[in-house]
Amino acid sequence: MKPLVGVRVLDLTKVLAGPLCTQYLGDLGAEVIKIEPTQIGDDTRRWPPFRGETGAIFLSVNRNKRSVAVDLKSEEGQAIVHKLAARADVVLESYGTGVAERLRIDYPTLKAINPNLIYVSISGFGRTGPMGSALGYDVILQAFSGIMALTGEPGGNPIRSPFSPVDQTTGLHAVTGIMAALIERGRTGQGARIEVSLFETAMSFLSYNFHVFWENGVEPAKPGSGHESLVPYQAFESADKPVLIGVANDNLWRRFCGAVGRAELASDKRFLTSADRSANRAACVGIVQEILRTRTRDEWLTLMNAIGVPCAPINSLQEALDHPQTAARGMVMQYDHPVLGPMKTIAQPILFDNEPHNIGTPPPMLGQHTREVLRELAYPDGEIDRLTAAGVVLDGAV
């Protein structure tokens, strides 16, 4: 199922949030043309580790796209983008505030060319307000928003969440906005201007944390692997390896107590309800830790799964990849890249009608499709050769 077949997307973004968004659109059938600088391309092409000379992060978020390398500082390069925008349904950009205007790829300019355009602007802090011109990366917003103040062990140093959740979720917010705008345009014929930012994503992540803060009136302590409202709900040491136990309600607490041979704890007034256990966190966690040290991780996992208490091993990346559930859900796809050879990637986490995931086309080399796309725009080969020689475009056909 490819619901976006026929939708044309012009991708002027780089790094992670925008490319992830357009990869998802491409996975769903959209035709995505990725505009890259002629010299180095998307920044992440040069971020290690590498396959050949291409960065692994670039390869993770750029499948199902065609790469056109253009010098946007040149008038002829801007003219190419204007022609592509004229036939696009969606345009995305992630430049610093004011840069799109200088490059003549801003919303008013492109809307004058294509009045029904859906235009998406991705930024660090949004385009307005006192931080509207500030640069933002995932770690900057983890720090600025308060996320980093909550992350780590009690009393520990600030910790970065290493999977760039702010960047990735901003990309998903852009997907949501684009889908909604496509539906609205189908009803009204009108395009839209959409803004998403890392700042607003980070703040929205903390919605329930802010509500808890407003009620308690005090800054929360770093919870480690725990939860401010639920106990026991964290990682514990077993006799050999750590294990995560998630007692999310009172019924699960009673099951846990009975299964570990400590039924009296279920009627202990300190631990009757989630609120009681939270109020007596140290005592509850201490008792549970003593219990869990008496058996191995796998013994506890077997027991907890048998009685329906949520639990998990603390897997390494390799352990997660090797787990039968990963294979059963088809989350790892293998493909042959025409230049870089056999590769693996993670599938889009959506299944339609139980159809297996499909890789589509592999991530492009820099400027791989420049000539192909310019021909579609009716540029003669001689003109493409001239533009290439002048450095306006890069022809990276493979």
Side-chain angles (χ1 to χ4, degrees):
M1 182 174 178
K2 300 290 185 182
L4 295 185
V5 167
V7 174
R8 288 176 166 175
V9 177
L10 183 59
D11 181 6
L12 295 155
T13 69
K14 60 181 181 178
V15 184
L16 191 54
L20 180 66
C21 168
T22 54
Q23 175 168 276
Y24 279 156
L25 298 176
D27 286 345
L28 293 171
E31 175 193 340
V32 181
I33 294 177
K34 181 180 180 70
I35 302 297
E36 300 187 69
T38 55
Q39 297 299 315
I40 61 172
D42 190 312
D43 292 359
T44 57
R45 287 187 182 273
R46 301 300 179 95
W47 289 5
F50 299 102
R51 170 65 68 91
E53 296 182 353
T54 303
I57 294 175
F58 177 86
L59 294 170
S60 75
V61 291
N62 282 290
R63 65 175 175 259
N64 289 315
K65 303 176 188 181
R66 295 192 288 172
S67 171
V68 176
V70 177
D71 178 9
L72 280 176
K73 294 179 181 179
S74 68
E75 289 188 6
E76 289 181 306
Q78 293 168 8
I80 291 169
V81 170
H82 290 173
K83 290 179 181 180
L84 289 168
R87 67 176 198 167
D89 297 288
V90 181
V91 172
L92 301 92
E93 62 86 15
S94 60
Y95 288 97
T97 298
V99 175
E101 287 77 7
R102 292 199 298 273
L103 297 176
R104 297 175 60 234
I105 56 170
D106 55 295
Y107 179 62
T109 298
L110 298 189
K111 184 182 179 183
I113 297 169
N114 183 349
N116 298 325
L117 190 66
I118 295 168
Y119 185 97
V120 183
S121 181
I122 301 173
S123 63
F125 288 87
R127 299 302 188 189
T128 58
M131 301 289 288
S133 295
L135 298 179
Y137 288 90
D138 182 279
V139 69
I140 302 299
L141 273 301
Q142 286 192 41
F144 188 88
S145 65
I147 289 174
M148 199 171 281
L150 296 176
T151 308
E153 294 298 323
N157 292 326
I159 299 294
R160 169 184 173 263
S161 295
F163 59 97
S164 301
V166 181
D167 255 334
Q168 295 206 61
T169 306
T170 300
L172 297 180
H173 289 163
V175 172
T176 302
I178 290 165
M179 294 299 199
L182 286 169
I183 293 172
E184 178 68 7
R185 194 181 68 174
R187 287 200 295 251
T188 67
Q190 298 296 310
R193 183 177 190 173
I194 298 169
E195 268 199 70
V196 294
S197 75
L198 275 63
F199 170 69
E200 284 148 311
T201 293
M203 294 295 284
S204 67
F205 268 157
L206 297 176
S207 176
Y208 85 77
N209 302 92
F210 286 134
H211 277 266
V212 170
F213 170 65
W214 290 329
E215 293 305 317
N216 289 338
V218 295
E219 293 281 351
K222 294 175 183 287
S225 62
H227 191 289
E228 69 274 7
S229 301
L230 302 174
V231 182
Y233 196 87
Q234 64 184 71
F236 293 92
E237 293 296 327
S238 71
D240 60 349
K241 300 175 182 178
V243 61
L244 195 294
I245 302 294
V247 175
N249 59 49
D250 299 334
N251 180 48
L252 291 174
W253 172 243
R254 290 188 289 271
R255 288 189 207 173
F256 174 84
C257 294
V260 302
R262 296 293 300 274
E264 78 280 4
L265 293 174
S267 57
D268 189 316
K269 291 183 179 180
R270 295 174 298 171
F271 311 136
L272 284 175
T273 67
S274 290
D276 295 328
R277 293 190 295 279
S278 181
N280 295 282
R281 177 182 301 272
C284 185
V285 168
I287 291 170
V288 172
Q289 180 59 86
E290 290 178 5
I291 294 168
L292 293 178
R293 286 189 188 277
T294 63
R295 301 188 195 180
T296 66
R297 180 196 70 177
D298 290 348
E299 288 176 315
W300 287 123
L301 292 173
T302 299
L303 177 60
M304 294 298 116
N305 283 321
I307 63 171
V309 171
C311 59
I314 311 298
N315 281 332
S316 67
L317 295 183
Q318 190 64 62
E319 287 171 328
L321 289 169
D322 290 342
H323 197 281
Q325 184 67 15
T326 304
R329 298 301 294 175
M331 281 303 296
V332 178
M333 299 189 295
Q334 300 189 40
Y335 66 96
D336 288 321
H337 193 284
V339 175
L340 304 176
M343 303 195 72
K344 297 178 182 178
T345 192
I346 295 297
Q348 184 181 42
I350 304 170
L351 282 175
F352 292 99
D353 299 326
N354 207 34
E355 294 180 359
H357 298 293
N358 189 313
I359 180 64
T361 59
M365 304 304 289
L366 177 60
Q368 179 178 340
H369 304 97
T370 299
R371 183 172 294 271
E372 176 183 303
V373 171
L374 291 184
R375 284 172 174 167
E376 293 172 4
L377 295 176
Y379 281 82
D381 278 341
E383 179 66 1
I384 298 171
D385 292 338
R386 185 191 68 78
L387 292 171
T388 302
V392 174
V393 300
L394 172 70
D395 181 2
V398 297

